Amino acid sequence: MKYRSWILIFLAACYLTLSTISAFRLSRSQPTERISGSAGDVLDDNPVGRLKVFVYELPSKYNKKILQKDPRCLTHMFAAEIYMQRFLLSSPVRTLNPEEADWFYVPVYTTCDLTPNGLPLPFKSPRMMRSAIQLIASNWPYWNRTEGADHFFVVPHDFGACFHYQEEKAIGRGILPLLQRATLVQTFGQRNHVCLKEGSITVPPYAPPQKMQSHLIPGKTPRSIFVYFRGLFYDVGNDPEGGYYARGARAAVWENFKDNPLFDISTEHPTTYYEDMQRAIFCLCPLGWAPWSPRLVEAVIFGCIPVIIADDIVLPFADAIPWEDIGVFVDEKDVPYLDTILTSIPPEVILRKQRLLANPSMKQAMLFPQPAQPGDAFHQVLNGLARKLPHDRSVYLRPGEKLLNWTAGPVADLKPW
Amino acid sequence: MKLLSAFRSSYLNRRGTAFRSLDPSSFDGGFIPPKPSSSPSSIFWLLIHCLCCLISLILGFRFSHLVLFFLFSTSVTNLYTTTNGGVSHHLLQLKPNVTEKSSRVVVGRHGIRIRPWPHPNPIEVMKAHQLLQRVQEEQKSLYYGASSRSPRTVIAVTPTYVRTFQALHLTGVMHSLMLAPYDVVWIVVEAGGKTEETASLIGRSRLIKKTIHVGFEKKMPNTWEDRRRMESEMRVEGLRIVREEKLDGVVVFADDSNMHSMELFDEIQNVRWFGALSVGILAHSGNADELSSALKTTDREGMPMPIQGPSCDSSGKLVGWHVFNTQPYATKSEVYVGDKADVMMMPSKMEWSGFVLNSRLLWKESVDDKPIWVKDVNSLLDGGNEGIVDGPLSLVKDPSMVEPLGSCGRSVLLWWLRVEARADSKFPPGWIIKSPLDITVPSKSTPWRDPSKLPVKNNQPAMEKRSGKPRGPESNNSKGKQEPKAFDGIKSSATR
């Protein structure tokens, strides 16, 4: 009996010392909060074993030769399509047996036709996509089996599969008719928009991970900038009168806050851009010609709360990441009152948002590192695809049933590539 | 004609929302006129369209664009309000089945919203600064640990004496202490007894919680060696005061000639009993040539700007001390204060300012958890200065137990630089000029009129002014520009 009390005292002492040690260690690092989106705590899910992906072997004129012609495609913000293929080729979810595959991936680089400035031209992309689909439809039976409903494509261009950089023209074209049943993995997302179809997976644009990691500064540097933004406010080349670019929102930010000491905004390209973001509390992420921007990724990596000024935007992995809790959403009509909105946020809310941003799984989910790491954007895409399984019975067509119209769309798109 | 059609198509492209009736996919070909239909609205739009084309041909693109803009805007109270409301109304009339999903985002030209007074609101700026402060407090508590939750008083001990550069040095220390976000008790020990000048300097520090100004009877000697010894004695006197007043906090030796960084005060909060910091030594020489040659010789050996402080191995344990090596400068060191310019002023081997201690070590009562590796400072202070003035390490029995601060001595938190004037240099007491200066020279660039030169006549002041003062050529100034006469003086001086 005597020994039992001694054992209890000993265990209690052990517990106390261990708890103080762990508390001490925790206090030294940034506390984080768990992130649970509408799909649950899914950022840390492992997709391996939950789905199987078959990668089509397309001739290299669809992927490798295009990349060889212009290696700039590896570093611009549309590089996700290239890295996705590389990741899938060496990933454990890949299967070489198409009969057991749940999803089929078509590696075609539609965004790699660049101008000398580095901007992608989308004029040949519909034809390229169409020719790739014709190839797989004629060489493998899996496309015709479902008319593409269990295939997925990566279309990271400005307006996704509408394949145009001007919004009006993109809306006019609509999503490529052949892709109507396929799942699209795209960066563009806006509610009630023609170019975002039901069931698409929104991903962040590509941002070079090593470059961002190399510009990290010590976490104890005090955040002394209130609002930070670097970029264009007026696009004088394409929109001289203003009002078209960014639906006038960026110009409104400039006109209202150019003399405000709290707003560190300008059009310069400083070399300390990444370091400055780490010294700011809020980073503006307004829309440009398209609603999405790599600034969101940079803000999340550097712990700066993103202020998203884009009406009805759908942010990356919106079902897994609770963006409402992490960022601040401002309507475009409220831009003139941005300073009032930001200063009226209670400090506890700001601190909570910073804790959520500090969560390493959040930062990992926004990146496309090479080689792939668990929890990164590739895995989130696979998680999203896995959540859509099992396929509905209606996906598989009865023999002879045809749902796609192979001759729909503008005449120019029907020419072979 | 091709240019004209291209011009028109680009024009239509920009005004796309108003002219949606045209087939948008026809732009890669050429300009296709709309099919005539019997509905009056489309004929009306066709007529308007032709009229617009004619206007744009005659007036040019921009002006006609503006005319159309005004024609179609529904609210004209503010030039910059949005017009998309009116335009989309027309859009829906023409083609009701463009989009069945009701999106509140309309594609096209929007106005740039500017609020009525687009300037910073001071209340918002205040709130934002409070938010910034709150975020920075949170950051501090994360990275400096539990110490930021119960900040300790900083007890600064400063030996000083009246000299030319005293105001320079003491103001620097005072501002550093005023900026530190902690309670500060400042103990100033002055050689030669308390003086009014020092007292008035110290009295300007309104933010420092408590200042204790004590006089030390002996006067400051003239050689550097003796001065260092005297300063050590003054510091010990300061420690005695800490003991008497039973001050609780961290004792810092804030020499008045040192430069302190703000991180220093954050870092010393972490000391438990006796800590050591890295001090950057900016030993200098007044002569630039000598300095560069001295630097070249020291480059071969090591750093030209040495650092005094703790040195750790890779696991963070204290293994030794970086000490200032006086050997390279043996022949060149100053002996007397304010010596010739080509000698260098040396710090001592271990500066007092690189060490901080917990004030409880000095208390008379026995504190329970006093570490055994520190000597009984209490008895040392009672017994005179001999044991202590050798250096700060004479206060500890076991120097290897001293806590290294500032990421184990890797960050330099304060700098030593002793700049002193000659011992016999003169300066006005209190830096206040009581008597008028002997020589006055008229300033050549006063923008206002010299009252002694006001003219008798009232209607020709400008001419008087120009002739009164010697100036450069002024013909270029009076080249037919109409200037108001009252501001002539300002204008002519501004164009110099």
Side-chain angles (χ1 to χ4, degrees):
Chain A
M1 294 307 285
K2 210 173 157 187
Y3 286 120
R4 193 177 289 175
S5 56
W6 281 114
I7 289 170
L8 278 172
I9 291 170
F10 175 66
L11 283 173
C14 281
Y15 170 72
L16 280 170
T17 49
L18 281 173
S19 62
T20 48
I21 288 172
S22 60
F24 178 79
R25 245 188 288 138
L26 269 177
S27 69
R28 288 281 157 186
S29 62
Q30 170 99 11
T32 63
E33 277 195 35
R34 277 193 78 77
I35 293 183
S36 30
S38 55
D41 286 359
V42 292
L43 281 184
D44 297 320
D45 278 357
N46 192 358
V48 174
R50 291 168 60 201
L51 80 165
K52 293 239 168 279
V53 176
F54 176 72
V55 182
Y56 283 111
E57 287 282 333
L58 289 184
S60 58
K61 72 167 181 168
Y62 290 101
N63 30 52
K64 293 205 186 61
K65 286 222 179 96
I66 299 180
L67 186 56
Q68 273 168 358
K69 258 190 268 178
D70 199 345
R72 281 180 301 178
C73 293
L74 280 173
T75 47
H76 68 174
M77 54 182 156
F78 307 101
E81 56 185 2
I82 301 169
Y83 292 119
M84 192 68 174
Q85 189 203 3
R86 290 190 184 179
F87 161 70
L88 283 173
L89 284 176
S90 54
S91 152
V93 303
R94 182 193 183 191
T95 166
L96 296 168
N97 178 9
E99 291 299 329
E100 61 167 10
D102 302 306
W103 286 98
F104 294 82
Y105 172 60
V106 183
V108 51
Y109 299 166
T110 51
T111 337
C112 202
D113 183 13
L114 303 185
T115 64
N117 273 352
L119 300 169
L121 292 171
F123 303 120
K124 294 205 200 115
S125 310
R127 290 161 52 200
M128 194 198 295
M129 185 66 86
R130 202 190 153 76
S131 131
I133 294 177
Q134 274 172 337
L135 192 75
I136 60 174
S138 49
N139 287 358
W140 286 275
Y142 307 106
W143 178 270
N144 291 329
R145 189 171 67 167
T146 56
E147 296 261 275
D150 54 355
H151 289 58
F152 71 95
F153 297 81
V154 180
V155 279
H157 195 62
D158 280 353
F159 288 97
C162 292
F163 292 124
H164 210 281
Y165 49 83
Q166 276 189 353
E167 193 166 357
E168 288 155 347
K169 295 221 182 101
I171 294 178
R173 297 179 66 100
I175 295 183
L176 197 69
L178 289 179
L179 294 175
Q180 261 175 12
R181 286 168 60 84
T183 298
L184 298 174
V185 177
Q186 58 188 47
T187 49
F188 171 76
Q190 189 175 316
R191 284 191 280 276
N192 299 330
H193 198 275
V194 175
C195 297
L196 177 72
K197 80 184 204 47
E198 195 66 46
S200 297
I201 298 178
T202 357
V203 291
Y206 175 74
Q210 289 89 355
K211 191 170 163 208
M212 292 200 286
Q213 297 289 352
S214 65
H215 284 274
L216 285 174
I217 60 177
K220 60 182 180 175
T221 317
R223 288 191 184 258
S224 47
I225 303 177
F226 193 61
V227 176
Y228 188 76
F229 176 74
R230 290 286 182 274
L232 290 176
F233 299 101
Y234 293 94
D235 189 354
V236 251
N238 299 322
D239 177 32
E241 286 95 13
Y244 244 113
Y245 179 55
R247 294 197 275 269
R250 286 194 185 198
V253 169
W254 175 251
E255 297 299 337
N256 280 300
F257 301 112
K258 60 187 174 203
D259 57 355
N260 196 322
L262 301 174
F263 283 67
D264 187 356
I265 57 180
S266 90
T267 52
E268 286 177 356
H269 283 270
T271 44
T272 53
Y273 175 60
Y274 290 141
E275 287 87 348
D276 291 339
M277 267 196 162
Q278 291 169 72
R279 282 180 35 231
I281 298 186
F282 292 105
C283 288
L284 293 185
C285 304
L287 71 161
W289 286 110
W292 57 269
S293 108
R295 281 183 187 87
L296 182 71
V297 178
E298 289 159 0
V300 168
I301 301 292
F302 295 127
C304 180
I305 301 175
V307 178
I308 295 148
I309 307 172
D311 286 345
D312 282 350
I313 188 174
V314 174
L315 288 176
F317 307 127
D319 51 349
I321 300 179
W323 287 105
E324 287 283 333
D325 292 338
I326 293 175
V328 179
F329 287 83
V330 177
D331 288 341
E332 286 164 32
K333 63 175 170 46
D334 292 330
V335 163
Y337 305 104
L338 191 59
D339 59 348
T340 315
I341 296 173
L342 291 179
T343 54
S344 61
I345 302 178
E348 304 82 33
V349 174
I350 293 183
L351 292 174
R352 177 160 182 262
K353 287 184 201 276
Q354 289 187 324
R355 282 197 293 272
L356 282 168
L357 282 170
N359 197 337
S361 55
M362 175 77 199
K363 295 194 208 272
Q364 273 288 78
M366 291 282 115
L367 288 176
F368 291 95
Q370 279 84 49
Q373 286 160 15
D376 63 6
F378 300 118
H379 289 88
Q380 303 303 333
V381 171
L382 292 178
N383 280 336
L385 289 171
R387 284 197 285 276
K388 294 176 85 171
L389 291 176
H391 289 299
D392 195 37
R393 307 239 68 218
S394 64
V395 151
Y396 297 99
L397 304 175
R398 290 186 291 279
E401 189 184 353
K402 284 233 166 280
L403 287 172
L404 286 183
N405 184 356
W406 285 76
T407 52
V411 179
D413 284 353
L414 300 176
K415 290 188 227 161
W417 182 74
Chain B
M1 208 49 210
K2 192 118 194 236
L3 192 67
L4 200 63
S5 63
F7 172 81
R8 267 197 226 140
S9 62
S10 70
Y11 165 76
L12 283 165
N13 190 22
R14 284 168 182 276
R15 296 290 299 160
T17 51
F19 295 102
R20 267 304 169 113
S21 54
L22 300 171
D23 191 5
S25 65
S26 64
F27 285 135
D28 25 6
F31 173 64
I32 300 175
K35 289 198 265 296
S37 80
S38 55
S39 87
S41 64
S42 59
I43 292 177
F44 169 70
W45 279 112
L46 179 62
L47 283 173
I48 289 283
H49 179 70
C50 292
L51 189 64
C52 294
C53 288
L54 280 170
I55 293 175
S56 68
L57 274 176
I58 299 165
L59 296 174
F61 171 64
R62 280 187 185 275
F63 189 63
S64 63
H65 187 71
L66 271 174
V67 165
L68 267 169
F69 190 77
F70 278 119
L71 275 178
F72 283 121
S73 66
T74 50
S75 63
V76 290
T77 52
N78 191 340
L79 184 64
Y80 295 105
T81 52
T82 62
T83 62
N84 54 344
V87 173
S88 62
H89 190 59
H90 294 295
L91 163 68
L92 287 172
Q93 277 176 343
L94 290 170
K95 246 199 169 181
N97 56 345
V98 164
T99 50
E100 58 273 343
K101 303 178 211 179
S102 61
S103 168
R104 65 188 176 119
V105 181
V106 182
V107 182
R109 181 174 303 281
H110 292 233
I112 301 170
R113 294 179 176 90
I114 301 182
R115 62 187 188 198
W117 196 70
H119 295 293
N121 181 352
I123 301 175
E124 306 298 333
V125 175
M126 263 321 289
K127 280 202 238 174
H129 278 289
Q130 282 161 5
L131 284 175
L132 279 169
Q133 203 174 353
R134 183 73 189 82
V135 168
Q136 287 177 8
E137 265 171 33
E138 186 70 24
Q139 273 185 291
K140 239 203 216 175
S141 75
L142 287 173
Y143 289 98
Y144 288 104
S147 60
S148 71
R149 276 179 269 280
S150 55
R152 288 146 74 175
T153 311
V154 172
I155 303 167
V157 175
T158 304
T160 185
Y161 58 102
V162 177
R163 60 202 191 274
T164 310
F165 283 13
Q166 183 200 27
L168 165 73
H169 294 311
L170 215 54
T171 315
V173 173
M174 185 166 73
H175 286 179
S176 304
L177 293 173
M178 279 159 74
L179 276 176
Y182 303 102
D183 290 332
V184 174
V185 176
W186 194 19
I187 300 176
V188 181
V189 185
E190 186 173 359
K194 285 170 81 155
T195 58
E196 228 0 86
E197 285 145 15
T198 316
S200 65
L201 263 176
I202 295 171
R204 290 191 202 140
S205 66
R206 283 184 293 272
L207 293 181
I208 296 183
K209 184 172 126 184
K210 189 170 173 184
T211 54
I212 302 174
H213 184 193
V214 180
F216 196 69
E217 304 79 35
K218 304 183 214 170
K219 281 183 99 67
M220 262 315 207
N222 265 352
T223 57
W224 276 115
E225 203 41 60
D226 293 338
R227 281 204 176 182
R228 278 190 214 114
R229 214 186 139 74
M230 172 84 124
E231 277 169 8
S232 301
E233 284 177 19
M234 294 204 284
R235 290 187 192 105
V236 170
E237 187 62 34
L239 291 181
R240 286 201 189 97
I241 294 173
V242 173
R243 182 177 66 160
E244 270 163 40
E245 306 270 340
K246 279 199 71 169
L247 299 172
D248 187 18
V250 183
V251 178
V252 185
F253 296 106
D255 288 352
D256 56 1
S257 55
N258 289 352
M259 263 78 58
H260 309 89
S261 70
M262 288 300 112
E263 283 85 32
L264 168 73
F265 300 109
D266 291 330
E267 196 59 38
I268 59 177
Q269 298 281 319
N270 295 333
V271 76
R272 292 192 62 223
W273 292 110
F274 200 89
L277 312 155
S278 285
V279 183
I281 305 292
L282 301 168
H284 82 295
S285 141
N287 192 343
D289 293 335
E290 288 290 338
L291 178 64
S292 56
S293 63
L295 281 178
K296 283 202 197 81
T297 50
T298 48
D299 261 338
R300 276 181 251 131
E301 295 150 13
M303 288 185 292
M305 297 294 175
I307 308 231
Q308 252 188 30
S311 140
C312 301
D313 61 4
S314 51
S315 68
K317 252 177 65 69
L318 182 70
V319 291
W321 303 91
H322 289 299
V323 189
F324 187 70
N325 187 9
T326 51
Q327 282 310 102
Y329 310 111
T331 51
K332 286 171 164 293
S333 53
E334 260 193 10
V335 175
Y336 288 97
V337 177
D339 242 350
K340 292 194 295 291
D342 59 347
V343 292
M344 300 173 82
M345 277 174 261
M346 298 296 118
S348 52
K349 258 180 129 203
M350 292 294 305
E351 281 286 321
W352 277 87
S353 46
F355 291 89
V356 292
L357 47 132
N358 189 344
S359 65
R360 287 179 193 227
L361 286 175
L362 305 163
W363 287 1
K364 281 199 184 98
E365 295 87 20
S366 63
V367 184
D368 291 334
D369 46 349
K370 234 190 224 180
I372 46 172
W373 45 270
V374 177
K375 288 185 197 161
D376 190 5
V377 188
N378 200 1
S379 54
L380 278 177
L381 288 176
D382 282 332
N385 295 338
E386 292 74 28
I388 309 185
V389 294
D390 295 332
L393 283 180
S394 57
L395 285 173
V396 293
K397 284 183 210 157
D398 183 10
S400 65
M401 292 292 289
V402 174
E403 305 153 38
L405 297 172
S407 63
C408 207
R410 278 191 291 270
S411 22
V412 173
L413 300 168
L414 70 155
W415 295 270
W416 180 97
L417 171 64
R418 201 73 194 255
V419 183
E420 297 293 350
R422 279 170 56 118
D424 54 348
S425 64
K426 299 214 186 321
F427 63 98
W431 290 98
I432 293 177
I433 300 166
K434 296 208 177 67
S435 57
L437 295 172
D438 297 341
I439 305 170
T440 44
V441 177
S443 156
K444 279 196 179 171
S445 52
T446 39
W448 54 87
R449 278 184 239 149
D450 196 357
S452 63
K453 294 214 166 170
L454 268 177
V456 179
K457 291 184 277 194
N458 282 344
N459 51 354
Q460 301 234 344
M463 301 300 288
E464 284 274 351
K465 180 116 171 93
R466 276 197 209 145
S467 59
K469 301 225 168 117
R471 288 178 194 269
E474 289 202 348
S475 53
N476 54 353
N477 188 28
S478 50
K479 256 203 189 123
K481 281 224 180 135
Q482 290 286 337
E483 299 160 11
K485 281 239 172 96
F487 294 113
D488 260 352
I490 298 173
K491 200 80 168 132
S492 50
S493 66
T495 52
R496 187 189 288 279

